[in-house]
Amino acid sequence: MNKRDVLQQLVRVRLADGSNPLADGRIQDVLVEMHGERAHVAILIDENWDGGSPPADTQERLRQAVMAMPGVASVRIVPRPRPRARGVTVPGATPAPAGGDAPARKLPEGLQGARFVAVASGKGGVGKSSVSVNLAVALARRGLRVAILDCDIYGFSVPALIGLERAPALDDDRKVIPGHGHGVDVMSMDFFVQNNSPVVWRGPMLGKALRQFLFDTVWNHPDVVVLDLPPGTGDMALDVQQQFPPMDVLIVTTPDPFAARVAERAGSMAQKMGHRVMGVVENMAYRQCSGCGQREYLLGRGGGDAVAAALGTEVLARIPMEPPPPGLRRDGLFPPESAAGAAFAELAARVAERLGVGVPQPAGADRAR
């Protein structure tokens, strides 16, 4: 038994009001300690529950749900304070507005006036980074000045996916000139590791790296900055979202119901931190049969719609599965003429419209760098 098994059990728990404390973010963490074949579980929950202590019947319902699992010897419920970071609200509180009334966060001069679009997911493996990169390139094809910041410090993949045309360099002030590919400026931890070495850092170093990316980089006044966030709702994702002013968030999910449930939590966390969920992107939504032209829903249907309904937003795009084109590919971009490429072009148009980022120029327009 492991932590994932317990979380899968807790995601099924419904309280008297129909809510799920895991999806609501009231369950902070789960600890599992194995003694032989017997598991001893601790469930860490918020000590502040709608202005009071966690109800006894709620604690008992959580305890009984986990005790029903085979091999569980004991379950402890541990109320503890929620870390009060800037911009974070406790469950049940009114979130800070995603407009000008929220506390401003300082940004470097080269990012002043940029609109931030964060791409988030509840779990890995749903194609979040692929969506981030293809969206950024599709926005650049519309003539917008675009940058992408790979905020996934441990699982960086943006440089490889975008197929860099120009590596990063240092200017005379020892600041980093971003890499560049397909019209997009790129900053990533990938530039600072060698031989695919793992990044073995604790939380405080993560925040320091992000601040260095922001303030030690020569940003070129982009219209839009796409942020590829770490997956999930843990400390990494929380720390990243604290670094930025109120921004627009795209939630990526697959049609799979389990992916949809955890994606809903990622969107709920963003809303509680004062960010606006712009919409949902359902990735790997279907595969079109090359022979008959019919759509095949290999991962099921309805995941994106369920997330959108739960978060009070809409599905902005459904990205189909597509095999890589013939020949050697050095990036993870979909050609504009492909079905997936067309879906990303439509997504970019809808994102640009919602951001109000000026009048798009024709693709390939010359913009001085």
Side-chain angles (χ1 to χ4, degrees):
M1 177 178 295
N2 55 35
K3 177 177 177 178
R4 178 184 175 87
D5 297 326
V6 178
L7 291 175
Q8 287 180 322
Q9 180 76 354
L10 290 173
V11 80
R12 303 186 182 98
V13 174
R14 289 292 181 272
L15 303 182
D17 61 359
S19 65
N20 172 254
L22 184 61
D24 289 345
R26 299 173 188 260
I27 296 177
Q28 297 182 17
D29 204 354
V30 168
L31 306 177
V32 179
E33 183 177 347
M34 297 299 299
H35 292 273
E37 298 297 321
R38 308 292 286 172
H40 299 268
V41 179
I43 306 173
L44 312 183
I45 65 174
D46 290 346
E47 68 176 11
N48 186 308
W49 201 283
D50 294 333
S53 301
D57 61 335
T58 295
Q59 296 187 51
E60 183 61 19
R61 182 167 297 192
L62 295 174
R63 196 183 74 82
Q64 290 294 340
V66 177
M67 279 297 300
M69 299 176 66
V72 173
S74 67
V75 178
R76 292 184 299 123
I77 308 296
V78 184
R80 67 175 186 177
R82 171 178 286 271
R84 297 304 303 273
R86 181 176 53 179
V88 181
T89 58
V90 297
T94 302
D101 295 335
R105 292 165 175 80
K106 182 181 177 183
L107 290 173
E109 191 273 336
L111 291 178
Q112 295 292 334
R115 298 299 301 271
F116 290 88
V117 178
V119 182
S121 67
K123 61 190 291 291
V126 298
K128 170 185 56 63
S129 295
S130 176
V131 169
S132 299
V133 166
N134 280 277
L135 171 62
V137 172
L139 287 168
R141 286 173 179 154
R142 294 179 63 81
L144 298 169
R145 194 184 299 275
V146 182
I148 184 167
L149 180 54
D150 191 349
C151 299
D152 195 349
I153 301 298
Y154 302 122
F156 46 82
S157 58
V158 166
L161 287 171
I162 205 169
L164 283 184
E165 299 158 355
R166 187 190 71 210
L170 295 178
D171 70 358
D172 294 338
D173 295 324
R174 306 294 295 174
K175 287 196 172 185
V176 179
I177 300 173
H180 190 76
H182 295 275
V184 178
D185 284 340
V186 182
M187 179 52 62
S188 172
M189 176 57 74
D190 192 15
F191 301 146
F192 306 99
V193 299
Q194 295 181 345
N195 301 322
N196 201 30
S197 300
V199 179
V200 187
W201 283 357
R202 294 190 182 275
M205 292 296 292
L206 169 65
K208 182 178 179 181
L210 287 172
R211 286 188 289 275
Q212 286 187 298
F213 286 173
L214 286 175
F215 290 96
D216 292 343
T217 300
V218 185
W219 297 107
N220 194 33
H221 299 280
D223 300 312
V224 181
V225 180
V226 177
L227 306 174
D228 183 22
L229 298 187
T233 57
D235 289 343
M236 290 174 57
L238 180 66
D239 198 23
V240 170
Q241 293 192 35
Q242 288 176 242
Q243 305 289 329
F244 297 94
M247 58 190 175
D248 294 276
V249 181
L250 289 174
I251 303 298
V252 179
T253 185
T254 64
D256 174 67
F258 181 75
R261 289 297 299 169
V262 294
E264 179 184 331
R265 296 202 297 272
S268 178
M269 184 181 80
Q271 290 174 330
K272 289 170 182 175
M273 294 187 67
H275 303 303
R276 182 183 72 164
V277 175
M278 178 188 290
V280 174
V281 177
E282 188 178 79
N283 197 28
M284 297 179 274
Y286 61 89
R287 184 182 70 181
Q288 192 144 346
C289 175
S290 58
C292 64
Q294 296 293 318
R295 291 185 176 184
E296 301 171 327
Y297 299 93
L298 304 181
L299 299 180
R301 302 180 69 172
D305 296 303
V307 177
L311 298 176
T313 185
E314 61 180 317
V315 178
L316 295 183
R318 302 183 197 275
I319 312 299
M321 296 179 179
E322 283 193 357
L328 180 64
R329 292 284 300 192
R330 299 197 176 190
D331 57 48
L333 300 175
F334 292 100
E337 64 275 10
S338 67
F344 277 113
E346 182 178 353
L347 174 62
R350 302 186 75 176
V351 168
E353 179 185 5
R354 282 161 172 74
L355 293 177
V357 286
V359 180
Q361 302 174 9
D366 182 22
R367 303 192 64 179
R369 296 196 53 80

